PDB file of all heavy atoms in Angstrom:
ATOM      1  N   MET A   3      37.181  17.342  -0.173  1.00  0.00           N
ATOM      2  CA  MET A   3      35.952  17.108  -0.800  1.00  0.00           C
ATOM      3  C   MET A   3      35.318  18.415  -1.435  1.00  0.00           C
ATOM      4  O   MET A   3      35.484  19.490  -0.896  1.00  0.00           O
ATOM      5  CB  MET A   3      34.909  16.783   0.348  1.00  0.00           C
ATOM      6  CG  MET A   3      33.681  16.153  -0.042  1.00  0.00           C
ATOM      7  SD  MET A   3      32.639  15.940   1.346  1.00  0.00           S
ATOM      8  CE  MET A   3      33.809  15.471   2.632  1.00  0.00           C
ATOM      9  N   ARG A  30      19.469  16.444  -5.250  1.00  0.00           N
ATOM     10  CA  ARG A  30      20.718  15.906  -4.730  1.00  0.00           C
ATOM     11  C   ARG A  30      21.288  14.647  -5.439  1.00  0.00           C
ATOM     12  O   ARG A  30      22.456  14.327  -5.174  1.00  0.00           O
ATOM     13  CB  ARG A  30      20.559  15.476  -3.164  1.00  0.00           C
ATOM     14  CG  ARG A  30      20.427  16.783  -2.381  1.00  0.00           C
ATOM     15  CD  ARG A  30      19.882  16.276  -0.928  1.00  0.00           C
ATOM     16  NE  ARG A  30      20.242  17.188   0.111  1.00  0.00           N
ATOM     17  CZ  ARG A  30      19.738  17.054   1.315  1.00  0.00           C
ATOM     18  NH1 ARG A  30      19.008  16.091   1.627  1.00  0.00           N
ATOM     19  NH2 ARG A  30      19.976  17.957   2.177  1.00  0.00           N
ATOM     20  N   PRO A  49      25.333  10.729  -5.804  1.00  0.00           N
ATOM     21  CA  PRO A  49      25.061  12.020  -5.234  1.00  0.00           C
ATOM     22  C   PRO A  49      25.670  13.131  -6.182  1.00  0.00           C
ATOM     23  O   PRO A  49      26.753  12.862  -6.772  1.00  0.00           O
ATOM     24  CB  PRO A  49      25.761  12.021  -3.905  1.00  0.00           C
ATOM     25  CG  PRO A  49      26.814  11.106  -4.065  1.00  0.00           C
ATOM     26  CD  PRO A  49      26.283   9.983  -5.035  1.00  0.00           C
ATOM     27  N   ARG A  51      26.970  15.807  -5.150  1.00  0.00           N
ATOM     28  CA  ARG A  51      28.236  16.272  -4.516  1.00  0.00           C
ATOM     29  C   ARG A  51      29.329  15.315  -4.637  1.00  0.00           C
ATOM     30  O   ARG A  51      29.147  14.058  -4.345  1.00  0.00           O
ATOM     31  CB  ARG A  51      27.974  16.468  -2.999  1.00  0.00           C
ATOM     32  CG  ARG A  51      29.123  16.915  -2.155  1.00  0.00           C
ATOM     33  CD  ARG A  51      28.709  17.353  -0.855  1.00  0.00           C
ATOM     34  NE  ARG A  51      28.197  16.467   0.078  1.00  0.00           N
ATOM     35  CZ  ARG A  51      28.804  15.687   0.933  1.00  0.00           C
ATOM     36  NH1 ARG A  51      30.185  15.608   0.874  1.00  0.00           N
ATOM     37  NH2 ARG A  51      28.172  14.769   1.628  1.00  0.00           N
ATOM     38  N   ALA A  58      34.484   9.765   3.046  1.00  0.00           N
ATOM     39  CA  ALA A  58      34.547  11.133   2.638  1.00  0.00           C
ATOM     40  C   ALA A  58      33.206  11.852   2.668  1.00  0.00           C
ATOM     41  O   ALA A  58      32.932  12.945   3.050  1.00  0.00           O
ATOM     42  CB  ALA A  58      35.363  11.384   1.285  1.00  0.00           C
ATOM     43  N   PHE A  59      32.243  11.112   2.079  1.00  0.00           N
ATOM     44  CA  PHE A  59      30.893  11.620   1.891  1.00  0.00           C
ATOM     45  C   PHE A  59      30.297  11.895   3.323  1.00  0.00           C
ATOM     46  O   PHE A  59      29.689  13.007   3.522  1.00  0.00           O
ATOM     47  CB  PHE A  59      30.061  10.597   1.175  1.00  0.00           C
ATOM     48  CG  PHE A  59      28.595  11.206   0.792  1.00  0.00           C
ATOM     49  CD1 PHE A  59      28.369  11.921  -0.255  1.00  0.00           C
ATOM     50  CD2 PHE A  59      27.567  10.735   1.596  1.00  0.00           C
ATOM     51  CE1 PHE A  59      27.174  12.381  -0.529  1.00  0.00           C
ATOM     52  CE2 PHE A  59      26.337  11.236   1.298  1.00  0.00           C
ATOM     53  CZ  PHE A  59      26.039  11.981   0.210  1.00  0.00           C
ATOM     54  N   MET A  60      30.423  10.945   4.223  1.00  0.00           N
ATOM     55  CA  MET A  60      29.807  11.142   5.574  1.00  0.00           C
ATOM     56  C   MET A  60      30.485  12.262   6.348  1.00  0.00           C
ATOM     57  O   MET A  60      29.835  12.695   7.427  1.00  0.00           O
ATOM     58  CB  MET A  60      29.716   9.783   6.298  1.00  0.00           C
ATOM     59  CG  MET A  60      28.860   8.821   5.590  1.00  0.00           C
ATOM     60  SD  MET A  60      27.093   9.375   5.202  1.00  0.00           S
ATOM     61  CE  MET A  60      26.447   9.603   6.854  1.00  0.00           C
ATOM     62  N   ALA A  61      31.546  12.630   5.995  1.00  0.00           N
ATOM     63  CA  ALA A  61      32.270  13.733   6.666  1.00  0.00           C
ATOM     64  C   ALA A  61      31.669  15.079   6.265  1.00  0.00           C
ATOM     65  O   ALA A  61      32.062  16.067   6.931  1.00  0.00           O
ATOM     66  CB  ALA A  61      33.787  13.702   6.418  1.00  0.00           C
ATOM     67  N   GLY A  62      30.878  15.191   5.289  1.00  0.00           N
ATOM     68  CA  GLY A  62      30.404  16.338   4.772  1.00  0.00           C
ATOM     69  C   GLY A  62      29.139  16.954   5.707  1.00  0.00           C
ATOM     70  O   GLY A  62      28.638  16.070   6.355  1.00  0.00           O
ATOM     71  N   LYS A  63      29.022  18.180   5.571  1.00  0.00           N
ATOM     72  CA  LYS A  63      27.895  18.873   6.355  1.00  0.00           C
ATOM     73  C   LYS A  63      26.558  18.313   5.909  1.00  0.00           C
ATOM     74  O   LYS A  63      26.404  18.058   4.689  1.00  0.00           O
ATOM     75  CB  LYS A  63      28.011  20.323   6.182  1.00  0.00           C
ATOM     76  CG  LYS A  63      27.073  21.146   6.998  1.00  0.00           C
ATOM     77  CD  LYS A  63      27.552  22.634   6.798  1.00  0.00           C
ATOM     78  CE  LYS A  63      26.539  23.559   7.405  1.00  0.00           C
ATOM     79  NZ  LYS A  63      25.279  23.650   6.454  1.00  0.00           N
ATOM     80  N   ASP A  64      25.749  17.980   6.842  1.00  0.00           N
ATOM     81  CA  ASP A  64      24.288  17.488   6.372  1.00  0.00           C
ATOM     82  C   ASP A  64      24.292  16.176   5.695  1.00  0.00           C
ATOM     83  O   ASP A  64      23.317  15.858   4.894  1.00  0.00           O
ATOM     84  CB  ASP A  64      23.678  18.568   5.557  1.00  0.00           C
ATOM     85  CG  ASP A  64      22.089  18.459   5.637  1.00  0.00           C
ATOM     86  OD1 ASP A  64      21.604  17.953   6.705  1.00  0.00           O
ATOM     87  OD2 ASP A  64      21.409  18.842   4.666  1.00  0.00           O
ATOM     88  N   ALA A  65      25.412  15.427   5.910  1.00  0.00           N
ATOM     89  CA  ALA A  65      25.549  14.129   5.050  1.00  0.00           C
ATOM     90  C   ALA A  65      24.480  13.116   5.393  1.00  0.00           C
ATOM     91  O   ALA A  65      24.127  12.356   4.569  1.00  0.00           O
ATOM     92  CB  ALA A  65      27.034  13.504   5.475  1.00  0.00           C
ATOM     93  N   GLU A  66      24.112  13.009   6.669  1.00  0.00           N
ATOM     94  CA  GLU A  66      23.043  11.997   7.115  1.00  0.00           C
ATOM     95  C   GLU A  66      21.779  12.127   6.209  1.00  0.00           C
ATOM     96  O   GLU A  66      21.208  11.241   5.751  1.00  0.00           O
ATOM     97  CB  GLU A  66      22.711  12.072   8.597  1.00  0.00           C
ATOM     98  CG  GLU A  66      23.755  11.462   9.425  1.00  0.00           C
ATOM     99  CD  GLU A  66      24.822  12.494   9.877  1.00  0.00           C
ATOM    100  OE1 GLU A  66      24.770  13.617   9.326  1.00  0.00           O
ATOM    101  OE2 GLU A  66      25.723  12.180  10.692  1.00  0.00           O
ATOM    102  N   ALA A  67      21.373  13.489   6.118  1.00  0.00           N
ATOM    103  CA  ALA A  67      20.142  13.782   5.352  1.00  0.00           C
ATOM    104  C   ALA A  67      20.312  13.381   3.796  1.00  0.00           C
ATOM    105  O   ALA A  67      19.505  12.863   3.229  1.00  0.00           O
ATOM    106  CB  ALA A  67      19.742  15.245   5.459  1.00  0.00           C
ATOM    107  N   GLU A  68      21.656  13.808   3.302  1.00  0.00           N
ATOM    108  CA  GLU A  68      22.035  13.419   1.966  1.00  0.00           C
ATOM    109  C   GLU A  68      21.896  11.966   1.673  1.00  0.00           C
ATOM    110  O   GLU A  68      21.523  11.594   0.690  1.00  0.00           O
ATOM    111  CB  GLU A  68      23.382  14.008   1.661  1.00  0.00           C
ATOM    112  CG  GLU A  68      23.328  15.504   1.077  1.00  0.00           C
ATOM    113  CD  GLU A  68      24.864  15.790   0.740  1.00  0.00           C
ATOM    114  OE1 GLU A  68      25.557  16.115   1.546  1.00  0.00           O
ATOM    115  OE2 GLU A  68      25.134  15.771  -0.567  1.00  0.00           O
ATOM    116  N   PHE A  69      22.600  11.207   2.693  1.00  0.00           N
ATOM    117  CA  PHE A  69      22.578   9.812   2.404  1.00  0.00           C
ATOM    118  C   PHE A  69      21.143   9.158   2.551  1.00  0.00           C
ATOM    119  O   PHE A  69      20.782   8.306   1.657  1.00  0.00           O
ATOM    120  CB  PHE A  69      23.448   9.101   3.526  1.00  0.00           C
ATOM    121  CG  PHE A  69      23.863   7.703   3.171  1.00  0.00           C
ATOM    122  CD1 PHE A  69      24.762   7.399   2.241  1.00  0.00           C
ATOM    123  CD2 PHE A  69      23.140   6.624   3.781  1.00  0.00           C
ATOM    124  CE1 PHE A  69      25.037   6.029   1.767  1.00  0.00           C
ATOM    125  CE2 PHE A  69      23.436   5.329   3.459  1.00  0.00           C
ATOM    126  CZ  PHE A  69      24.411   5.018   2.461  1.00  0.00           C
ATOM    127  N   ALA A  70      20.322   9.752   3.418  1.00  0.00           N
ATOM    128  CA  ALA A  70      19.011   9.246   3.496  1.00  0.00           C
ATOM    129  C   ALA A  70      18.226   9.507   2.030  1.00  0.00           C
ATOM    130  O   ALA A  70      17.543   8.679   1.627  1.00  0.00           O
ATOM    131  CB  ALA A  70      18.267   9.902   4.638  1.00  0.00           C
ATOM    132  N   ASP A  71      18.592  10.529   1.417  1.00  0.00           N
ATOM    133  CA  ASP A  71      18.027  10.830   0.131  1.00  0.00           C
ATOM    134  C   ASP A  71      18.480   9.805  -0.953  1.00  0.00           C
ATOM    135  O   ASP A  71      17.674   9.426  -1.742  1.00  0.00           O
ATOM    136  CB  ASP A  71      18.426  12.296  -0.309  1.00  0.00           C
ATOM    137  CG  ASP A  71      17.615  12.827  -1.367  1.00  0.00           C
ATOM    138  OD1 ASP A  71      16.305  12.592  -1.407  1.00  0.00           O
ATOM    139  OD2 ASP A  71      18.213  13.410  -2.419  1.00  0.00           O
ATOM    140  N   LEU A  72      19.811   9.502  -0.854  1.00  0.00           N
ATOM    141  CA  LEU A  72      20.243   8.521  -1.746  1.00  0.00           C
ATOM    142  C   LEU A  72      19.449   7.133  -1.640  1.00  0.00           C
ATOM    143  O   LEU A  72      19.027   6.492  -2.593  1.00  0.00           O
ATOM    144  CB  LEU A  72      21.708   8.140  -1.534  1.00  0.00           C
ATOM    145  CG  LEU A  72      22.804   9.283  -1.792  1.00  0.00           C
ATOM    146  CD1 LEU A  72      24.202   8.735  -1.451  1.00  0.00           C
ATOM    147  CD2 LEU A  72      22.720   9.741  -3.258  1.00  0.00           C
TER     148      LEU A  72
END
Side-chain angles (χ1 to χ4, degrees):
M3 198 182 321
R30 289 167 158 170
R51 175 168 67 87
F59 185 81
M60 293 308 293
K63 187 170 169 284
D64 206 25
E66 287 85 355
E68 267 187 284
F69 193 78
D71 195 44
L72 294 179

